[in-house]
C-alpha cells in the first residue's frame, strides 16, 4: 500500500505549516512507515493511506515518487 507522509525536516524546530513536506512510501501499515523513517531526523505530522482515485490523482503530480526503504 502507498502512504503519503507529511513531515518537517527537523525534530528540533517548531512545526510551521508552510515548511511541511511530503513523501510517498510503500509499506504494510502506518506503523511500518513510522518504523522505516525512525532513523531519519523527520518530525512526522501525519501518515495517510493513498489508494483508488486519490492515488491516481496523486500520480499526476510531477513530484510523485515512491520512496523505497
Amino acid at each position: 500500500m502507498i502512504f503519503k507522509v507529511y513531515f518537517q525536516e527537523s525534530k528540533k524546530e517548531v512545526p510551521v505549516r508552510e515548511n511541511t513536506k511530503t513523501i510517498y512510501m510503500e509499506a504494510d501499515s502506518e506503523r511500518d512507515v513510522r518504523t522505516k523513517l525512525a532513523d531519519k531526523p523527520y518530525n512526522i505530522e501525519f501518515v495517510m493511506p493513498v489508494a483508488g482515485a486519490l492515488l491516481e490523482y496523486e500520480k499526476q503530480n510531477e513530484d510523485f515518487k515512491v520512496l523505497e526503504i
Side-chain angles (χ1 to χ4, degrees), residues 9 22 32 51 54 61:
E9 289 189 322
T22 59
D32 191 27
L54 180 57
N61 185 350

Side-chain angles (χ1 to χ4, degrees), residues 25-64:
M25 286 190 63
E26 188 165 347
D28 296 327
S29 65
E30 180 180 339
R31 176 177 281 174
D32 191 27
V33 170
R34 291 180 181 274
T35 301
K36 289 179 177 180
L37 293 175
D39 64 330
K40 305 280 188 202
Y42 299 157
N43 182 3
I44 298 172
E45 294 180 26
F46 186 66
V47 178
M48 178 177 77
V50 181
L54 180 57
L55 179 57
E56 293 306 315
Y57 175 77
E58 293 289 349
K59 284 182 178 178
Q60 294 175 9
N61 185 350
E62 63 186 39
D63 295 331
F64 181 82

Side-chain angles (χ1 to χ4, degrees), residues 8-15 41-43:
Q8 302 283 318
E9 289 189 322
S10 175
K11 291 181 181 180
K12 296 179 181 181
E13 296 178 15
V14 176
Y42 299 157
N43 182 3

